[in-house]
Amino acid sequence: AGRGAAMLLWLWLWLWLCVCCCPGRGLRIHEYLYFQVLSPGDIRYIFTATPAKDFGGVFNTRYEQIHLVPADPPEACGELNNGVFIQDQIALVERGGCSFLSKTRVVQEHGGRAVIIADNAYDNDSFYIEMIQDSSRRTADIPALFLLGRDGYMIRRSLEQHGLPWAIISIPVNVTSIPTYEMMQPPWTFW
């Protein structure tokens, strides 16, 4: 029995090393990036997002207070009606209509610092989509993040209820520096 348990422990350790340390071998775990909504107060939570897999930039700056502006139209597959408000801010975009890379490029062309693409399945509160480059050979320089559909929906709904054109967020947030009792997580999402 002792030898079987040791073999099982070794197998578990090998699998863990493959998943955590060798993402190029086909097994991959998500990296997460966190941001906090500061205003409006009814959604003052810390949200989890995942960076695009093979396109887009990284956050070299921490933004203490920056606008999260819902794109108009929400899918951001072409010219934006509110592009002037996205310049130097972060766009909240909805999945669908065109590739993730196309959406990122539209926001970049409007001067956005980053894009957060929320799933268009509003009931999605746990399944992260891996955003990959399309087949166009284009690139994007700004960070692109994927947000759960329920989170994106709740942010947009709050803005609509308050008649606000944008939320104020802090991004990225280092959750390891926040005491557990101060972590304000969305009540509809399991962490």
Side-chain angles (χ1 to χ4, degrees), residues 30-35 46-52 115-117 128 144-148 151 171:
H30 283 291
E31 297 176 34
Y32 295 103
L33 188 136
Y34 303 92
F35 68 94
I46 294 175
F47 293 89
T48 305
T50 55
V115 61
I116 297 175
I117 303 170
Y128 289 91
L145 305 171
F146 182 82
L147 182 65
L148 295 173
D151 293 346
I171 189 169

Side-chain angles (χ1 to χ4, degrees), residues 29-116:
I29 59 170
H30 283 291
E31 297 176 34
Y32 295 103
L33 188 136
Y34 303 92
F35 68 94
Q36 182 174 19
V37 173
L38 304 173
S39 174
D42 63 331
I43 54 165
R44 191 176 167 96
Y45 300 117
I46 294 175
F47 293 89
T48 305
T50 55
K53 179 180 177 182
D54 57 3
F55 69 89
V58 295
F59 282 96
N60 294 319
T61 303
R62 181 170 191 269
Y63 300 101
E64 296 292 335
Q65 292 188 5
I66 192 165
H67 295 160
L68 177 63
V69 183
D72 177 24
E75 291 181 343
C77 292
E79 188 65 29
L80 299 177
N81 299 326
N82 64 341
V84 66
F85 298 112
I86 287 174
Q87 185 169 348
D88 293 324
Q89 306 304 321
I90 297 175
L92 177 62
V93 171
E94 193 170 293
R95 179 181 178 205
C98 60
S99 71
F100 294 119
L101 178 59
S102 293
K103 296 171 185 300
T104 304
R105 288 183 53 84
V106 166
V107 170
Q108 179 176 305
E109 290 164 6
H110 283 84
R113 295 192 184 216
V115 61
I116 297 175

Side-chain angles (χ1 to χ4, degrees), residues 35 37 39-45 47 68 70 92 94 118-119 121-125 147-162 167 186-189:
F35 68 94
V37 173
S39 174
D42 63 331
I43 54 165
R44 191 176 167 96
Y45 300 117
F47 293 89
L68 177 63
L92 177 62
E94 193 170 293
D119 196 357
Y122 299 152
D123 60 344
N124 178 10
D125 61 4
L147 182 65
L148 295 173
R150 174 71 51 90
D151 293 346
Y153 169 76
M154 296 300 277
I155 292 170
R156 282 189 302 275
R157 188 179 87 169
S158 175
L159 294 176
E160 288 170 8
Q161 288 175 342
H162 294 287
W188 57 86
T189 303

